[in-house]
Amino acid sequence: MPATPYEDLLDYATSCALPTPWAQFTLHAFIEHATGKEHLAMTLGDISDGEPVLARVHSECLTGDVLFSQRCDCGAQLEGALQKIAAEGRGILLYLRQEGRGIGLVNKMRAYRLQEAGADTVEANLALGFHADARNYELCQPMLAQFGIKSLRLMTNNPRKIDAMEKLGVTVAERVPLLVNRNAFNNSYLNTKQAKLGHMMTPLHEVVAADGEL
């Protein structure tokens, strides 16, 4: 078959077993040509049978995924997606190294400082000279092609992510909502994602408790 425009973007490197609290996944590493960044895929079960695959496309969030930050819902989404895949016994999670919606860790921290001064997450990124969302999903196409995946049941609240997959020629057969961890620290952030970025979230509402939970 002829090569797609995306197949030269990265190389498959290696795979290994990755036991987690929910299942033993297989971890696969890819190296991006342009940046040298190492992107990951976690797979479980038979995902190359042609049927739509339960999937999560997750952008790196060190503060949320590793440091347990409650300023976002990223860490909870990562854990929730892996739990859903484990419960089904079949699926894939792509872990893309594009921290802070593509602006990097240090700039994300600078954006947090602006948010602490009153800006919302979109205003902060724009004030730093970035797009509201600078992520690029083109790496997903060759990563999914590595496993013969052409159709997804995509766990996301972001309609732009669905559009990106479709533009890459990857069918999104179903959107699976992933609404987790709304709390007193990220309530405004989640509301902004809904109001300004079009995310399909729970209805806008105010914080009703002071102990970290709504």
Side-chain angles (χ1 to χ4, degrees), residues 103 110-112 114-115 119-130:
I103 69 174
R110 292 182 175 128
Y112 280 168
L114 292 175
Q115 291 171 43
D120 65 35
T121 181
V122 170
E123 293 166 345
N125 277 27
L126 296 177
L128 292 172
F130 300 104

Side-chain angles (χ1 to χ4, degrees), residues 141-197:
Q141 197 278 342
M143 292 175 77
L144 293 170
Q146 175 74 23
F147 307 104
I149 297 173
K150 298 181 179 180
S151 180
L152 306 177
R153 295 169 50 227
L154 188 62
M155 290 181 278
T156 186
N157 307 321
N158 185 355
R160 298 183 186 190
K161 195 176 291 185
I162 297 171
D163 291 343
M165 293 301 106
E166 296 283 2
K167 288 177 181 177
L168 293 171
V170 179
T171 300
V172 178
E174 178 187 357
R175 181 184 80 88
V176 180
L178 196 58
L179 299 168
V180 291
N181 194 37
R182 182 181 282 269
N183 62 67
F185 303 104
N186 68 21
N187 188 57
S188 177
Y189 163 80
L190 296 179
N191 286 349
T192 298
K193 288 209 298 185
Q194 179 177 7
K196 293 190 174 182
L197 298 175

